[in-house]
Structures are given as C-alpha cells and as structure tokens.
C-alpha cells in the first residue's frame, strides 16, 4: 500500500482493483487493518478505511469532500450537526471526530486539485457524487463552505450575488462592503481559475455596488469636479456595467446582475445629463474660467475623447 497518509489512501480508494482486494478480505481482517491504519496514519487516514470497510470505499473521495462542508464550521449550525449524524453510516456507523473529518476533507481537497490539473474530466463523477451525498444528508444548502467543489464555488457566487442585490437596493456602505467580502471569498475558491470569466464578473459587480454606495449625495458643483469624477472611476463603471450584462448560468445571479446594471444605467444617465448641463453652461460662458480637465495626471487622449463625446451628447440633448 502506497503510504498511510489520508491523501495517499484516498488515491488508493480510486484504484478499483486494490479496493476490490480489500473488500474480499474477511470482515475481521478488514476491521483489524482499519484499526492499524488509524493507529499509524492518524484518525483521518482511519476514516478512509472505515468507509472502505463499510462498503463505501468507492465513495471515499466524494465523502471526504462532503466533510469539507459538514465540518466546515468550527461552531457548526444545527443543520450541519444533524448532517454529521446522517454521514455516520458512510463510515460504518461510528461517530465522526470533527478534527479527523477536517483532516480528511483537506486531503480530499489536495487530491481533487491534483486531479483537476492532471485529468480534469476525472473530477466530474467525483463532484457529482459529492453533491449527491450532500443532498442525501441535507447539507447541500451549506455547499458554499466547500473550498474545493464546483458546487461550493457556485454557492459562494450565489451568496455574493444576493449581497450585491441587497447592496444595490439599499446603497448602504456596510452592505456594499459585505458584498465585496463575499466576492473576494469566491475568488479564493479552488475552482475560481476554471471559472475565471464568472468570477471576474462577480468582482466587477461587487466593485459597482461599492461605487454606488460611495456616491456623494450632492451634485457636481462644476465641470472640473465632473471631469475628475469620470477620470477617477467613470470609465471603469461603464466598462463594468457592460461586462455584467453577460449574466451568469445561475438564474438568481443573472437576475442580480441585471438589477444592478439597471440601477447603474439610471445613475450614469443622471450623471450624463448633469455633465451636459455643466458643459452647456461652460460653453455659454465662453469656455473660460473653470478648467474642464482637473489635472494633467489624467490621460489627455481618452479624457478629451470623452469630453468631445459628451459635448455631442449635450448638443443632441439641447436640440
């Protein structure tokens, strides 16, 4: 047997031939081997053999990944404590030590990550089985706790999108900060790299609600102030609101993005009208006095282009 670490034993469980040989051993021999492995390799390693001895060896990796959800909180919510009890039959009916389960979950995470790099297609049935186990033990609603499963990334994106929608509705700084924290949590997920465009849109959406919450209540006082606002973040806002229009494959996330895009569009239209008014007044005054470009630090090329575009917008609006 190739080592007695939890990760090595999970690799062993993926070998159907080796697993079949173990299953064919007499029950007494299986139990004795599981006890010895637990004594030598630690409680997490022992859990792999407990699952194998219970006839669930083929599910060992999926069960390990499910442990990342069930035991993902140091102070577990009531539903997860119940889920831990429902998970016990997969380990032969023994009570599961939370620290051992967390160690097993971390080993499963490493194995899945390696599989994703070496043979991405091989992780699909493992993920499907882990999702089924979480549903069976009624822990799927807490899937966002998983740092490894695609289901966990989806859960984190959904949680962040819900916070984004709430922040969009309230425009409160604390709600926007909460949305940002949840979006950053999604970027730290193991599957984030495989879902780069989705995660990038999520981060853009979180930045947009921070922008919304940070908007001053008063209007721009002059053209310099308006130009400075655009130079600071207006360009990003326009790019980001167009980016999130791509939506997401999860309907509730796509709905949150659509609502945010509508809100941002209304705000930008208000700002465009305000800028057009300031620009008209500046032109009427002979384009003298107040300087439209607030600082030479801003790129003259794109700022001049934007000013010309809004000058045209102003002309259309006054026509």
């Amino acid at each position: 047997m190739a080592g007695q670490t939890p990760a090595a034993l999970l690799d062993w469980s993926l070998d159907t031939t080796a697993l079949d040989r173990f299953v064919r051993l007499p029950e007494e021999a299986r139990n004795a081997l599981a006890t010895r492995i637990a004594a030598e390799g630690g409680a997490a390693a022992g859990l792999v053999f407990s699952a194998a001895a219970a006839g669930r060896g083929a599910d060992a990796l999926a069960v390990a990944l499910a442990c990342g959800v069930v035991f993902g909180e140091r102070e577990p919510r009531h539903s997860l404590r119940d889920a831990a009890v429902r998970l016990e039959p997969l380990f032969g009916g023994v009570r599961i030590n939370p620290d051992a389960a967390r160690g097993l979950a971390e080993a499963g995470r490493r194995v899945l990550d390696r599989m994703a790099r070496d043979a991405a297609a091989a992780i699909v049935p493992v993920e499907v089985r882990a999702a089924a186990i979480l549903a069976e033990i009624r822990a799927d609603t807490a899937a966002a706790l998983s740092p490894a499963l695609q289901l966990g990334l989806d859960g984190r994106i959904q949680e962040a999108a819900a916070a984004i929608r709430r922040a969009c509705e309230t425009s409160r700084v604390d709600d926007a900060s909460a949305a940002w924290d949840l979006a950053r949590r999604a970027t730290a997920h193991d599957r984030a790299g495989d879902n780069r465009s989705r995660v990038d849109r999520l981060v853009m959406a979180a930045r947009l609600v921070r922008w919304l919450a940070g908007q001053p209540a008063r209007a721009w006082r002059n053209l310099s102030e308006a130009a400075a606002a655009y130079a600071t973040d207006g360009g990003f806002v326009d790019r980001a609101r167009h980016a999130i229009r791509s939506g997401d494959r999860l309907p509730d996330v796509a709905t949150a993005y659509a609502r945010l895009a509508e809100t941002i569009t209304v705000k930008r239209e208000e700002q465009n009208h305000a800028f057009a008014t300031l620009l008209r007044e500046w032109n009427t005054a002979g384009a003298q006095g107040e300087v439209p470009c607030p600082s030479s630090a801003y790129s003259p090329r794109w700022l001049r282009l934007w000013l010309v575009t809004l000058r045209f917008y102003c002309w259309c609006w006054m026509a």
Side-chain angles (χ1 to χ4, degrees):
M1 191 171 298
Q4 296 176 352
T5 67
L9 292 172
L10 287 173
D11 280 329
W12 167 82
S13 73
L14 298 173
D15 184 339
T16 55
T17 301
L19 194 61
D20 184 61
R21 284 200 299 267
F22 174 78
V23 171
R24 290 175 181 276
L25 291 174
E27 182 179 358
E28 183 178 349
R30 292 200 307 269
N31 292 336
L33 185 56
T35 301
R36 181 171 67 82
I37 290 296
E40 297 178 1
L47 285 176
V48 179
F49 266 85
S50 293
R56 307 303 292 265
D59 285 340
L61 180 54
V63 173
L65 294 165
C67 284
V69 174
V70 178
F71 299 94
E73 295 176 337
R74 288 289 174 179
E75 297 295 332
R77 65 195 80 169
H78 182 73
S79 60
L80 290 182
R81 288 197 295 270
D82 289 345
V85 174
R86 298 187 192 101
L87 193 62
E88 290 175 0
L90 278 70
F91 293 105
V94 300
R95 183 180 180 279
I96 306 167
N97 178 283
D99 289 334
R102 281 188 279 270
L104 180 62
E106 185 57 31
R109 179 183 181 183
R110 292 196 300 273
V111 171
L112 189 73
D113 191 54
R114 191 204 67 237
M115 291 173 64
R117 292 194 308 271
D118 297 344
I123 74 171
V124 175
V126 176
E127 293 231 24
V128 170
R129 184 61 189 135
I133 290 170
L134 288 171
E136 288 169 10
I137 62 175
R138 299 199 286 279
D140 50 325
T141 56
L145 290 170
S146 171
L149 292 168
Q150 177 65 43
L151 189 67
L153 176 61
D154 287 348
R156 293 186 185 193
I157 291 175
Q158 287 176 305
E159 288 184 353
I164 285 167
R165 183 160 188 169
R166 183 165 55 252
C168 179
E169 294 169 351
T170 67
S171 294
R172 292 178 51 180
V173 173
D174 54 348
D175 286 338
S177 295
W180 176 255
D181 290 342
L182 288 170
R184 296 299 299 171
R185 180 172 176 244
T187 67
H189 195 278
D190 292 350
R191 303 278 79 77
D194 301 331
N195 296 261
R196 180 53 54 200
S197 60
R198 296 180 67 210
V199 173
D200 286 347
R201 282 194 295 273
L202 179 69
V203 171
M204 285 184 181
R207 288 184 66 186
L208 283 172
V209 291
R210 291 178 78 188
W211 176 81
L212 270 179
Q215 289 300 292
R218 62 176 177 79
W220 296 322
R221 294 169 298 183
N222 50 53
L223 194 56
S224 288
E225 195 169 280
Y230 185 87
T232 301
D233 52 26
F236 153 73
V237 170
D238 288 338
R239 290 193 303 274
R241 70 187 172 107
H242 285 294
I244 64 173
R245 285 177 178 170
S246 299
D248 192 86
R249 62 180 177 78
L250 299 174
D252 50 343
V253 177
T255 299
Y257 289 169
R259 179 72 183 91
L260 175 59
E262 291 172 4
T263 302
I264 294 292
T265 297
V266 170
K267 184 65 176 178
R268 292 296 286 137
E269 286 301 309
E270 291 174 355
Q271 292 181 338
N272 286 342
H273 279 281
F275 188 94
T277 298
L278 291 169
L279 185 58
R280 180 186 60 188
E281 293 171 353
W282 184 70
N283 282 331
T284 300
Q288 296 178 356
E290 170 191 325
V291 181
C293 297
S295 170
S296 60
Y298 304 126
S299 170
R301 184 171 178 270
W302 64 258
L303 187 53
R304 281 200 305 271
L305 178 62
W306 187 70
L307 288 170
V308 169
T309 301
L310 281 179
R311 187 187 296 268
F312 176 73
Y313 177 89
C314 175
W315 177 81
C316 293
W317 182 53
M318 292 185 294

